[in-house]
Amino acid sequence: MPQPPAIPRLKVLTGIPKTIRNPIGAFNDYAEDYGENYLLSVGGTRRTHMTTDPDVVQYVLQKNHRNYEKSEIQTDQVARYFGQGLLTNSGKSWLTQRRLIQPGFHRKRLERLTEAMQEVIDLQCAALREKAAAGTKINLHHFTRDAVFRIIVKAIFTDGFTEEDTERLNATIDKVQGYIIYPVRIPFLRGPLRWLGQEKKHVGLANDVRQDIQRRIDQRRAEGPKDDLLQMLLDTRYEDTGEPMTDEQLIDEVIILFAAGHETSANSLAWTIWLLLRHPDKLALVRKEIEAAEAAGPIDFEGVRRLPYLTQVIDESLRMYPPAWITDRVALNDDDTGAFNIQKGTVMGLFIHGLHHNPAHWDAPYEFRPERMTPAAKKARHPSCYVPFGGGPRLCIGNHFAMLEMLLFLSSVLKNFDFSLSPGADKVGYKPLITLHMDREVLVGVGERG
Ligand code: HEM
């Protein structure tokens, strides 16, 4: 009688501070030593099944997603500051909200947001022109972060945000986001941070943002409708009750869009520009494509389709430097993926960076090769070995928004400006916070192109 296939035994690793100091390096080393799947149990934390295996990623995010919820790191620890918006919500409440908000990101809506995005980009280019004239260097990450933060603010609130308001909001959200990672990555710091009043301080900052948004909602109600994401959230009604969202829920959703929608794109844009500056041959191809695309008409919502090579460059940058470098799920019940038994309560550590560099699916994974991202090449690969925006029902709701803003931004900026990396800026490493940052400030010289 044929024997059922043996279930691979997974190695159990314990007590590893290396994962705190350098998580990406550590998890990649473990994948090399132990394979695509292994069990990890650090100190007293829950047992974690780490994976860089596209079959397991697909199984957890898609095939049997009902058995897997986000862990309390995402739902409780982030929600403590940013509330229960789409990213931090779970279960039935998440599904109801997702159905309600999804139409806000449909093609037609995005098309209407293109003009607002371009307005912000033009202002950023004007500021860059002044820097170029003065010979001032720019901090690459600050530059991309400011641009995408202004874009998301404009997409949600078409009006009412002064320069000062935007700066203040950006700085506050950054402070809270920068803080959240510490108790997540080093759980035993949570107690001391609380005693030192740090948790209270950052909850307080998040509450200031909530109050600000509440004032703006009240103002919108008084002044009448506009064509932006806030209006969509105000106008939408629950199917079963016909009721609108409560203000509390609405504020949670707005904060989550701010938080989820700027760090990710900002990091991705910074990495993409940095990669292009280190590969002048690819940059030349991008510029040639932008010129040809412009000659055929404006680079707008439809026009970005004429930028297939730039799209591949962004895709490749998202592969090498996935802003969401890891995510997780917890098994609600015992499960069998077909290759592994998963015990109820196991945390599934979906290590996206490792998946995107898995040598079984990527040749020379540490080389920048936009050519590997043609639609045909993508189709020939396992569908879950490239998941920068996640997968399954919880796929990033802002993925098309992000691609659109990145294409518009890069085409404007690369067409109009030359950049040069300051000495030493070619040796940048990872700084994995909630999203994947550069480990140092990258200063860039700017010149206007003739
Ligand atoms: C390069 C840019 C971006 C990347 C790489 C990215 C990545 C991701 C990933 C991986 C997830 C899924 C997390 C998981 O399943 O555990 C996600 C979810 C989400 N993203 Fe993005 N994101 C980007 C931009 C944006 C933008 C621009 C917005 C908003 C305008 C946004 C809003 C969200 C929201 C609300 C969720 C939660 C969706 C849900 O669970 O229903 N993201 N993102």
Side-chain angles (χ1 to χ4, degrees), residues 395-423:
L395 180 77
C396 172
I397 203 169
N399 61 346
H400 297 301
F401 182 109
M403 285 307 288
L404 178 64
E405 70 177 344
M406 290 196 285
L407 283 162
L408 293 171
F409 179 83
L410 288 171
S411 57
S412 283
V413 159
L414 296 174
K415 182 186 76 181
N416 290 309
F417 299 96
D418 278 320
F419 297 98
S420 53
L421 287 175
S422 295

PDB file of all heavy atoms in Angstrom, residues 395-423:
ATOM      1  N   LEU A 395      -5.094  41.669   0.451  1.00  0.00           N
ATOM      2  CA  LEU A 395      -4.161  42.355  -0.452  1.00  0.00           C
ATOM      3  C   LEU A 395      -4.239  43.859  -0.187  1.00  0.00           C
ATOM      4  O   LEU A 395      -5.335  44.390   0.066  1.00  0.00           O
ATOM      5  CB  LEU A 395      -4.599  42.065  -1.895  1.00  0.00           C
ATOM      6  CG  LEU A 395      -3.755  42.688  -2.996  1.00  0.00           C
ATOM      7  CD1 LEU A 395      -2.455  41.908  -3.166  1.00  0.00           C
ATOM      8  CD2 LEU A 395      -4.513  42.676  -4.323  1.00  0.00           C
ATOM      9  N   CYS A 396      -3.101  44.524  -0.288  1.00  0.00           N
ATOM     10  CA  CYS A 396      -3.063  45.978  -0.039  1.00  0.00           C
ATOM     11  C   CYS A 396      -4.158  46.682  -0.849  1.00  0.00           C
ATOM     12  O   CYS A 396      -4.209  46.564  -2.068  1.00  0.00           O
ATOM     13  CB  CYS A 396      -1.695  46.503  -0.451  1.00  0.00           C
ATOM     14  SG  CYS A 396      -1.594  48.299  -0.405  1.00  0.00           S
ATOM     15  N   ILE A 397      -4.979  47.455  -0.149  1.00  0.00           N
ATOM     16  CA  ILE A 397      -6.070  48.148  -0.849  1.00  0.00           C
ATOM     17  C   ILE A 397      -5.515  49.326  -1.657  1.00  0.00           C
ATOM     18  O   ILE A 397      -6.138  49.790  -2.614  1.00  0.00           O
ATOM     19  CB  ILE A 397      -7.133  48.629   0.174  1.00  0.00           C
ATOM     20  CG1 ILE A 397      -8.478  48.810  -0.513  1.00  0.00           C
ATOM     21  CG2 ILE A 397      -6.699  49.908   0.878  1.00  0.00           C
ATOM     22  CD1 ILE A 397      -9.632  49.024   0.446  1.00  0.00           C
ATOM     23  N   GLY A 398      -4.297  49.764  -1.289  1.00  0.00           N
ATOM     24  CA  GLY A 398      -3.727  50.933  -1.954  1.00  0.00           C
ATOM     25  C   GLY A 398      -2.717  50.582  -3.033  1.00  0.00           C
ATOM     26  O   GLY A 398      -1.959  51.445  -3.462  1.00  0.00           O
ATOM     27  N   ASN A 399      -2.689  49.325  -3.524  1.00  0.00           N
ATOM     28  CA  ASN A 399      -1.608  48.934  -4.450  1.00  0.00           C
ATOM     29  C   ASN A 399      -1.650  49.722  -5.753  1.00  0.00           C
ATOM     30  O   ASN A 399      -0.628  50.199  -6.240  1.00  0.00           O
ATOM     31  CB  ASN A 399      -1.561  47.418  -4.688  1.00  0.00           C
ATOM     32  CG  ASN A 399      -2.809  46.844  -5.300  1.00  0.00           C
ATOM     33  OD1 ASN A 399      -3.832  47.518  -5.314  1.00  0.00           O
ATOM     34  ND2 ASN A 399      -2.765  45.627  -5.782  1.00  0.00           N
ATOM     35  N   HIS A 400      -2.834  49.938  -6.335  1.00  0.00           N
ATOM     36  CA  HIS A 400      -2.886  50.695  -7.595  1.00  0.00           C
ATOM     37  C   HIS A 400      -2.620  52.182  -7.343  1.00  0.00           C
ATOM     38  O   HIS A 400      -1.992  52.854  -8.150  1.00  0.00           O
ATOM     39  CB  HIS A 400      -4.241  50.504  -8.287  1.00  0.00           C
ATOM     40  CG  HIS A 400      -4.479  49.073  -8.680  1.00  0.00           C
ATOM     41  ND1 HIS A 400      -3.638  48.401  -9.523  1.00  0.00           N
ATOM     42  CD2 HIS A 400      -5.433  48.174  -8.325  1.00  0.00           C
ATOM     43  CE1 HIS A 400      -4.054  47.154  -9.672  1.00  0.00           C
ATOM     44  NE2 HIS A 400      -5.137  46.993  -8.950  1.00  0.00           N
ATOM     45  N   PHE A 401      -3.104  52.670  -6.211  1.00  0.00           N
ATOM     46  CA  PHE A 401      -2.826  54.047  -5.800  1.00  0.00           C
ATOM     47  C   PHE A 401      -1.307  54.236  -5.727  1.00  0.00           C
ATOM     48  O   PHE A 401      -0.738  55.193  -6.269  1.00  0.00           O
ATOM     49  CB  PHE A 401      -3.480  54.275  -4.425  1.00  0.00           C
ATOM     50  CG  PHE A 401      -3.349  55.657  -3.857  1.00  0.00           C
ATOM     51  CD1 PHE A 401      -4.443  56.503  -3.773  1.00  0.00           C
ATOM     52  CD2 PHE A 401      -2.132  56.117  -3.374  1.00  0.00           C
ATOM     53  CE1 PHE A 401      -4.330  57.777  -3.233  1.00  0.00           C
ATOM     54  CE2 PHE A 401      -2.003  57.383  -2.825  1.00  0.00           C
ATOM     55  CZ  PHE A 401      -3.105  58.212  -2.751  1.00  0.00           C
ATOM     56  N   ALA A 402      -0.638  53.294  -5.059  1.00  0.00           N
ATOM     57  CA  ALA A 402       0.813  53.401  -4.855  1.00  0.00           C
ATOM     58  C   ALA A 402       1.550  53.358  -6.191  1.00  0.00           C
ATOM     59  O   ALA A 402       2.451  54.172  -6.428  1.00  0.00           O
ATOM     60  CB  ALA A 402       1.299  52.272  -3.941  1.00  0.00           C
ATOM     61  N   MET A 403       1.177  52.422  -7.053  1.00  0.00           N
ATOM     62  CA  MET A 403       1.877  52.317  -8.341  1.00  0.00           C
ATOM     63  C   MET A 403       1.662  53.588  -9.156  1.00  0.00           C
ATOM     64  O   MET A 403       2.584  54.098  -9.780  1.00  0.00           O
ATOM     65  CB  MET A 403       1.390  51.085  -9.130  1.00  0.00           C
ATOM     66  CG  MET A 403       1.900  49.760  -8.615  1.00  0.00           C
ATOM     67  SD  MET A 403       3.705  49.624  -8.409  1.00  0.00           S
ATOM     68  CE  MET A 403       4.285  49.545 -10.099  1.00  0.00           C
ATOM     69  N   LEU A 404       0.440  54.117  -9.123  1.00  0.00           N
ATOM     70  CA  LEU A 404       0.149  55.332  -9.887  1.00  0.00           C
ATOM     71  C   LEU A 404       0.994  56.505  -9.379  1.00  0.00           C
ATOM     72  O   LEU A 404       1.653  57.202 -10.148  1.00  0.00           O
ATOM     73  CB  LEU A 404      -1.352  55.642  -9.778  1.00  0.00           C
ATOM     74  CG  LEU A 404      -1.840  56.909 -10.464  1.00  0.00           C
ATOM     75  CD1 LEU A 404      -1.634  56.817 -11.972  1.00  0.00           C
ATOM     76  CD2 LEU A 404      -3.333  57.165 -10.159  1.00  0.00           C
ATOM     77  N   GLU A 405       1.007  56.712  -8.059  1.00  0.00           N
ATOM     78  CA  GLU A 405       1.755  57.863  -7.533  1.00  0.00           C
ATOM     79  C   GLU A 405       3.252  57.702  -7.787  1.00  0.00           C
ATOM     80  O   GLU A 405       3.955  58.671  -8.095  1.00  0.00           O
ATOM     81  CB  GLU A 405       1.465  58.119  -6.048  1.00  0.00           C
ATOM     82  CG  GLU A 405       2.027  57.094  -5.107  1.00  0.00           C
ATOM     83  CD  GLU A 405       1.796  57.401  -3.633  1.00  0.00           C
ATOM     84  OE1 GLU A 405       1.466  58.541  -3.280  1.00  0.00           O
ATOM     85  OE2 GLU A 405       1.940  56.460  -2.833  1.00  0.00           O
ATOM     86  N   MET A 406       3.747  56.465  -7.706  1.00  0.00           N
ATOM     87  CA  MET A 406       5.190  56.257  -7.897  1.00  0.00           C
ATOM     88  C   MET A 406       5.575  56.502  -9.351  1.00  0.00           C
ATOM     89  O   MET A 406       6.607  57.104  -9.639  1.00  0.00           O
ATOM     90  CB  MET A 406       5.590  54.853  -7.433  1.00  0.00           C
ATOM     91  CG  MET A 406       5.504  54.705  -5.914  1.00  0.00           C
ATOM     92  SD  MET A 406       6.373  53.267  -5.254  1.00  0.00           S
ATOM     93  CE  MET A 406       5.315  51.944  -5.699  1.00  0.00           C
ATOM     94  N   LEU A 407       4.727  56.050 -10.293  1.00  0.00           N
ATOM     95  CA  LEU A 407       5.022  56.269 -11.718  1.00  0.00           C
ATOM     96  C   LEU A 407       4.971  57.758 -12.053  1.00  0.00           C
ATOM     97  O   LEU A 407       5.838  58.279 -12.761  1.00  0.00           O
ATOM     98  CB  LEU A 407       4.022  55.488 -12.581  1.00  0.00           C
ATOM     99  CG  LEU A 407       4.301  53.985 -12.670  1.00  0.00           C
ATOM    100  CD1 LEU A 407       3.066  53.225 -13.161  1.00  0.00           C
ATOM    101  CD2 LEU A 407       5.498  53.696 -13.574  1.00  0.00           C
ATOM    102  N   LEU A 408       3.948  58.453 -11.537  1.00  0.00           N
ATOM    103  CA  LEU A 408       3.831  59.892 -11.813  1.00  0.00           C
ATOM    104  C   LEU A 408       5.025  60.641 -11.224  1.00  0.00           C
ATOM    105  O   LEU A 408       5.633  61.493 -11.869  1.00  0.00           O
ATOM    106  CB  LEU A 408       2.534  60.457 -11.229  1.00  0.00           C
ATOM    107  CG  LEU A 408       1.208  59.969 -11.847  1.00  0.00           C
ATOM    108  CD1 LEU A 408       0.034  60.452 -11.012  1.00  0.00           C
ATOM    109  CD2 LEU A 408       1.058  60.443 -13.295  1.00  0.00           C
ATOM    110  N   PHE A 409       5.352  60.297  -9.984  1.00  0.00           N
ATOM    111  CA  PHE A 409       6.441  60.992  -9.285  1.00  0.00           C
ATOM    112  C   PHE A 409       7.775  60.763 -10.006  1.00  0.00           C
ATOM    113  O   PHE A 409       8.492  61.709 -10.330  1.00  0.00           O
ATOM    114  CB  PHE A 409       6.514  60.480  -7.833  1.00  0.00           C
ATOM    115  CG  PHE A 409       7.611  61.095  -7.023  1.00  0.00           C
ATOM    116  CD1 PHE A 409       7.435  62.328  -6.422  1.00  0.00           C
ATOM    117  CD2 PHE A 409       8.820  60.434  -6.850  1.00  0.00           C
ATOM    118  CE1 PHE A 409       8.450  62.903  -5.663  1.00  0.00           C
ATOM    119  CE2 PHE A 409       9.835  61.001  -6.093  1.00  0.00           C
ATOM    120  CZ  PHE A 409       9.641  62.239  -5.505  1.00  0.00           C
ATOM    121  N   LEU A 410       8.098  59.498 -10.267  1.00  0.00           N
ATOM    122  CA  LEU A 410       9.405  59.197 -10.868  1.00  0.00           C
ATOM    123  C   LEU A 410       9.510  59.773 -12.269  1.00  0.00           C
ATOM    124  O   LEU A 410      10.557  60.293 -12.662  1.00  0.00           O
ATOM    125  CB  LEU A 410       9.638  57.674 -10.895  1.00  0.00           C
ATOM    126  CG  LEU A 410       9.921  57.049  -9.527  1.00  0.00           C
ATOM    127  CD1 LEU A 410       9.919  55.531  -9.613  1.00  0.00           C
ATOM    128  CD2 LEU A 410      11.264  57.534  -8.973  1.00  0.00           C
ATOM    129  N   SER A 411       8.412  59.725 -13.036  1.00  0.00           N
ATOM    130  CA  SER A 411       8.529  60.233 -14.405  1.00  0.00           C
ATOM    131  C   SER A 411       8.773  61.745 -14.376  1.00  0.00           C
ATOM    132  O   SER A 411       9.608  62.247 -15.118  1.00  0.00           O
ATOM    133  CB  SER A 411       7.315  59.850 -15.259  1.00  0.00           C
ATOM    134  OG  SER A 411       6.141  60.308 -14.680  1.00  0.00           O
ATOM    135  N   SER A 412       8.119  62.477 -13.487  1.00  0.00           N
ATOM    136  CA  SER A 412       8.346  63.931 -13.402  1.00  0.00           C
ATOM    137  C   SER A 412       9.757  64.245 -12.930  1.00  0.00           C
ATOM    138  O   SER A 412      10.455  65.076 -13.506  1.00  0.00           O
ATOM    139  CB  SER A 412       7.387  64.569 -12.390  1.00  0.00           C
ATOM    140  OG  SER A 412       6.123  64.691 -12.952  1.00  0.00           O
ATOM    141  N   VAL A 413      10.146  63.585 -11.859  1.00  0.00           N
ATOM    142  CA  VAL A 413      11.402  63.930 -11.208  1.00  0.00           C
ATOM    143  C   VAL A 413      12.614  63.510 -12.064  1.00  0.00           C
ATOM    144  O   VAL A 413      13.575  64.268 -12.219  1.00  0.00           O
ATOM    145  CB  VAL A 413      11.409  63.245  -9.808  1.00  0.00           C
ATOM    146  CG1 VAL A 413      12.795  63.097  -9.274  1.00  0.00           C
ATOM    147  CG2 VAL A 413      10.550  64.052  -8.845  1.00  0.00           C
ATOM    148  N   LEU A 414      12.545  62.329 -12.650  1.00  0.00           N
ATOM    149  CA  LEU A 414      13.701  61.850 -13.433  1.00  0.00           C
ATOM    150  C   LEU A 414      13.827  62.594 -14.757  1.00  0.00           C
ATOM    151  O   LEU A 414      14.904  62.725 -15.306  1.00  0.00           O
ATOM    152  CB  LEU A 414      13.601  60.336 -13.664  1.00  0.00           C
ATOM    153  CG  LEU A 414      13.658  59.490 -12.395  1.00  0.00           C
ATOM    154  CD1 LEU A 414      13.415  58.018 -12.715  1.00  0.00           C
ATOM    155  CD2 LEU A 414      14.998  59.657 -11.680  1.00  0.00           C
ATOM    156  N   LYS A 415      12.670  63.060 -15.247  1.00  0.00           N
ATOM    157  CA  LYS A 415      12.708  63.830 -16.494  1.00  0.00           C
ATOM    158  C   LYS A 415      13.369  65.195 -16.253  1.00  0.00           C
ATOM    159  O   LYS A 415      14.155  65.673 -17.061  1.00  0.00           O
ATOM    160  CB  LYS A 415      11.268  64.026 -16.993  1.00  0.00           C
ATOM    161  CG  LYS A 415      11.179  64.762 -18.314  1.00  0.00           C
ATOM    162  CD  LYS A 415       9.738  65.045 -18.668  1.00  0.00           C
ATOM    163  CE  LYS A 415       9.212  66.200 -17.832  1.00  0.00           C
ATOM    164  NZ  LYS A 415       7.833  66.545 -18.059  1.00  0.00           N
ATOM    165  N   ASN A 416      13.053  65.812 -15.121  1.00  0.00           N
ATOM    166  CA  ASN A 416      13.459  67.199 -14.892  1.00  0.00           C
ATOM    167  C   ASN A 416      14.781  67.393 -14.158  1.00  0.00           C
ATOM    168  O   ASN A 416      15.337  68.481 -14.166  1.00  0.00           O
ATOM    169  CB  ASN A 416      12.359  67.935 -14.109  1.00  0.00           C
ATOM    170  CG  ASN A 416      11.126  68.152 -14.972  1.00  0.00           C
ATOM    171  OD1 ASN A 416      11.224  68.660 -16.081  1.00  0.00           O
ATOM    172  ND2 ASN A 416       9.962  67.722 -14.486  1.00  0.00           N
ATOM    173  N   PHE A 417      15.241  66.350 -13.467  1.00  0.00           N
ATOM    174  CA  PHE A 417      16.426  66.551 -12.616  1.00  0.00           C
ATOM    175  C   PHE A 417      17.475  65.459 -12.780  1.00  0.00           C
ATOM    176  O   PHE A 417      17.145  64.300 -13.044  1.00  0.00           O
ATOM    177  CB  PHE A 417      15.997  66.613 -11.136  1.00  0.00           C
ATOM    178  CG  PHE A 417      15.060  67.735 -10.849  1.00  0.00           C
ATOM    179  CD1 PHE A 417      13.684  67.515 -10.833  1.00  0.00           C
ATOM    180  CD2 PHE A 417      15.529  69.023 -10.646  1.00  0.00           C
ATOM    181  CE1 PHE A 417      12.799  68.563 -10.602  1.00  0.00           C
ATOM    182  CE2 PHE A 417      14.651  70.075 -10.417  1.00  0.00           C
ATOM    183  CZ  PHE A 417      13.276  69.849 -10.398  1.00  0.00           C
ATOM    184  N   ASP A 418      18.726  65.900 -12.613  1.00  0.00           N
ATOM    185  CA  ASP A 418      19.830  64.952 -12.477  1.00  0.00           C
ATOM    186  C   ASP A 418      20.153  64.850 -10.994  1.00  0.00           C
ATOM    187  O   ASP A 418      20.096  65.862 -10.283  1.00  0.00           O
ATOM    188  CB  ASP A 418      21.069  65.484 -13.212  1.00  0.00           C
ATOM    189  CG  ASP A 418      21.000  65.188 -14.695  1.00  0.00           C
ATOM    190  OD1 ASP A 418      20.548  64.075 -15.049  1.00  0.00           O
ATOM    191  OD2 ASP A 418      21.381  66.069 -15.491  1.00  0.00           O
ATOM    192  N   PHE A 419      20.507  63.662 -10.577  1.00  0.00           N
ATOM    193  CA  PHE A 419      20.873  63.481  -9.164  1.00  0.00           C
ATOM    194  C   PHE A 419      22.255  62.845  -9.077  1.00  0.00           C
ATOM    195  O   PHE A 419      22.639  62.080  -9.969  1.00  0.00           O
ATOM    196  CB  PHE A 419      19.874  62.537  -8.471  1.00  0.00           C
ATOM    197  CG  PHE A 419      18.471  63.055  -8.436  1.00  0.00           C
ATOM    198  CD1 PHE A 419      17.542  62.633  -9.381  1.00  0.00           C
ATOM    199  CD2 PHE A 419      18.077  63.963  -7.471  1.00  0.00           C
ATOM    200  CE1 PHE A 419      16.241  63.107  -9.359  1.00  0.00           C
ATOM    201  CE2 PHE A 419      16.772  64.444  -7.445  1.00  0.00           C
ATOM    202  CZ  PHE A 419      15.854  64.012  -8.387  1.00  0.00           C
ATOM    203  N   SER A 420      22.973  63.168  -8.011  1.00  0.00           N
ATOM    204  CA  SER A 420      24.256  62.477  -7.814  1.00  0.00           C
ATOM    205  C   SER A 420      24.357  62.055  -6.352  1.00  0.00           C
ATOM    206  O   SER A 420      24.044  62.839  -5.440  1.00  0.00           O
ATOM    207  CB  SER A 420      25.405  63.404  -8.173  1.00  0.00           C
ATOM    208  OG  SER A 420      25.262  64.615  -7.455  1.00  0.00           O
ATOM    209  N   LEU A 421      24.770  60.815  -6.143  1.00  0.00           N
ATOM    210  CA  LEU A 421      24.895  60.306  -4.774  1.00  0.00           C
ATOM    211  C   LEU A 421      26.141  60.901  -4.122  1.00  0.00           C
ATOM    212  O   LEU A 421      27.191  60.982  -4.761  1.00  0.00           O
ATOM    213  CB  LEU A 421      25.050  58.786  -4.790  1.00  0.00           C
ATOM    214  CG  LEU A 421      23.807  57.959  -5.129  1.00  0.00           C
ATOM    215  CD1 LEU A 421      24.173  56.477  -5.221  1.00  0.00           C
ATOM    216  CD2 LEU A 421      22.711  58.148  -4.086  1.00  0.00           C
ATOM    217  N   SER A 422      26.020  61.309  -2.866  1.00  0.00           N
ATOM    218  CA  SER A 422      27.191  61.814  -2.133  1.00  0.00           C
ATOM    219  C   SER A 422      28.136  60.652  -1.847  1.00  0.00           C
ATOM    220  O   SER A 422      27.690  59.501  -1.800  1.00  0.00           O
ATOM    221  CB  SER A 422      26.740  62.426  -0.808  1.00  0.00           C
ATOM    222  OG  SER A 422      25.961  63.542  -1.084  1.00  0.00           O
ATOM    223  N   PRO A 423      29.421  60.956  -1.636  1.00  0.00           N
ATOM    224  CA  PRO A 423      30.379  59.873  -1.371  1.00  0.00           C
ATOM    225  C   PRO A 423      29.897  58.994  -0.215  1.00  0.00           C
ATOM    226  O   PRO A 423      29.386  59.497   0.788  1.00  0.00           O
ATOM    227  CB  PRO A 423      31.658  60.625  -0.986  1.00  0.00           C
ATOM    228  CG  PRO A 423      31.501  61.990  -1.578  1.00  0.00           C
ATOM    229  CD  PRO A 423      30.047  62.283  -1.644  1.00  0.00           C
TER     230      PRO A 423
END
